[in-house]
């Protein structure tokens, strides 16, 4: 049996970790069953068995795997079909991974953080405010007041996606693959928390994300 430790806000249905979305999407595409163990920011005791404090964590039989990338590698090694992730292709997957973590997530975080905070319970709110304000060097309220600036940064950062998706159907090429999964996972996160749209209806990124959701039958 597989168990995924997944981040949730005050409501059990508000699951918003982009890294957990990667793993959930991969397991869905590989037709793998799993159960979810919900973890809130301050419930670190639930993760003590893993020897670290971040989600996702996957328990697969006797194995405990931390870090979304390592989990994706584990899933692909043990359950390659029907949707292999690490296939030989011209797509620089490691670059996509780090671009998501270091550019896309950072740009989205600046827009999403005040809204993540609003969705948390009281104890998690205090933790989130303290850790995130320390990280960004300003208050969540100051961040919320800079939305236009952060939208501009996001649009700039995502321009290569926009141009690529105007030229080809998927980031991986003619069929969707791991690069698509990584980027879509980031947008699934902001969909849960943001009360406004970040891309216009005719934006190639928006069209790609809607098409992929339909094709992958994403209900999360
Ligand atoms: N490199 C890790 C990053 C995992 C990560 O940052 N997880 C966040 C949720 S999106 C977390 O667990 N945060 C807990 C905290 O900030 O206390 C991965 O790919 O899994």
């Amino acid at each position: 049996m597989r168990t995924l430790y997944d981040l949730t806000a005050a409501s059990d249905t508000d699951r918003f970790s982009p890294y957990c979305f990667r793993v959930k999407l991969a397991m869905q595409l590989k037709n793998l069953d799993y159960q979810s163990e919900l973890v809130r920011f301050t419930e670190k005791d639930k993760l003590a068995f893993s020897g670290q404090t971040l989600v996702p964590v996957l328990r697969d039989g006797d194995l405990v795997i931390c870090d979304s990338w390592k989990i994706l590698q584990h899933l692909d090694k043990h359950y390659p079909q029907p949707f292999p992730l690490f296939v030989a292709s011209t797509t620089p997957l490691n670059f996509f991974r780090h671009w998501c973590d270091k550019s896309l997530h950072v740009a989205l975080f600046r827009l999403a953080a005040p809204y993540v905070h609003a969705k948390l319970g009281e104890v998690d709110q205090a933790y989130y405010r303290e850790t995130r304000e320390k990280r960004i060097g300003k208050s969540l309220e100051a961040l919320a007041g800079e939305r236009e600036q952060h939208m501009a940064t996001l649009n700039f950062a995502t321009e290569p996606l926009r141009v690529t998706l105007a030229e080809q159907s998927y980031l991986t090429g003619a069929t969707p693959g791991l690069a698509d999964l990584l980027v879509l996972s980031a947008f699934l996160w902001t969909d849960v928390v943001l009360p406004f749209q970040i891309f216009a209806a005719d934006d190639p990124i928006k069209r790609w994300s809607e098409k992929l959701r339909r094709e992958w039958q994403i209900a999360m």
Side-chain angles (χ1 to χ4, degrees):
M1 187 53 194
R2 279 170 291 273
T3 305
L4 174 69
Y5 292 75
D6 190 3
L7 188 66
T8 187
S11 159
D12 285 357
T13 54
D14 281 336
R15 319 238 184 121
F16 61 94
S17 162
Y19 299 104
C20 293
F21 276 126
R22 290 178 182 179
V23 176
K24 288 186 279 188
L25 275 179
M27 290 200 285
Q28 181 188 317
L29 292 164
K30 288 174 175 292
N31 294 332
L32 296 173
D33 290 338
Y34 65 96
Q35 62 186 27
S36 296
E37 183 70 47
L38 302 187
V39 184
R40 295 190 166 76
F41 274 116
T42 49
E43 295 179 324
K44 300 296 184 202
D45 50 317
K46 287 190 181 174
L47 301 175
F49 71 93
S50 73
Q52 53 87 63
T53 58
L54 303 178
V55 290
V57 176
L58 182 73
R59 249 192 215 277
D60 191 353
D62 292 337
L63 287 175
V64 173
I65 310 122
C66 311
D67 189 276
S68 62
W69 197 252
K70 288 193 181 129
I71 297 172
L72 295 180
Q73 288 174 324
H74 161 83
L75 293 174
D76 224 35
K77 181 171 170 202
H78 293 272
Y79 319 100
Q81 299 301 337
F83 195 97
L85 299 168
F86 294 92
V87 287
S89 84
T90 52
T91 314
L93 291 174
N94 211 33
F95 169 81
F96 260 95
R97 165 202 182 188
H98 292 304
W99 177 77
C100 283
D101 292 2
K102 306 293 180 198
S103 292
L104 182 62
H105 287 190
V106 173
L108 291 171
F109 167 81
R110 289 181 187 151
L111 289 164
Y115 299 96
V116 170
H117 180 262
K119 281 191 173 281
L120 301 176
E122 213 174 302
V123 179
D124 275 9
Q125 276 188 331
Y127 169 84
Y128 190 80
R129 180 180 287 283
E130 189 188 335
T131 53
R132 271 47 180 185
E133 289 187 346
K134 192 170 170 196
R135 185 189 293 174
I136 56 182
K138 61 179 78 166
S139 70
L140 293 174
E141 289 72 16
L143 206 59
E146 299 166 351
R147 191 207 284 189
E148 288 310 309
Q149 177 190 327
H150 299 315
M151 280 297 286
T153 304
L154 177 71
N155 276 321
F156 178 75
T158 52
E159 190 60 12
L161 289 184
R162 196 167 286 111
V163 175
T164 303
L165 292 169
E167 287 174 357
Q168 63 191 52
S169 297
Y170 301 97
L171 297 170
T172 307
T175 54
L178 180 53
D180 299 271
L181 182 151
L182 295 175
V183 175
L184 187 66
S185 295
F187 297 138
L188 291 176
W189 155 43
T190 48
D191 270 9
V192 173
V193 295
L194 286 180
F196 55 89
Q197 296 291 318
I198 47 177
F199 300 120
D202 62 349
D203 188 319
I205 301 174
K206 178 81 174 170
R207 289 213 206 99
W208 158 86
S209 109
E210 291 189 342
K211 182 176 56 163
L212 209 45
R213 279 158 209 258
R214 278 195 303 278
E215 287 174 4
W216 285 353
Q217 299 179 349
I218 295 172
M220 49 184 78

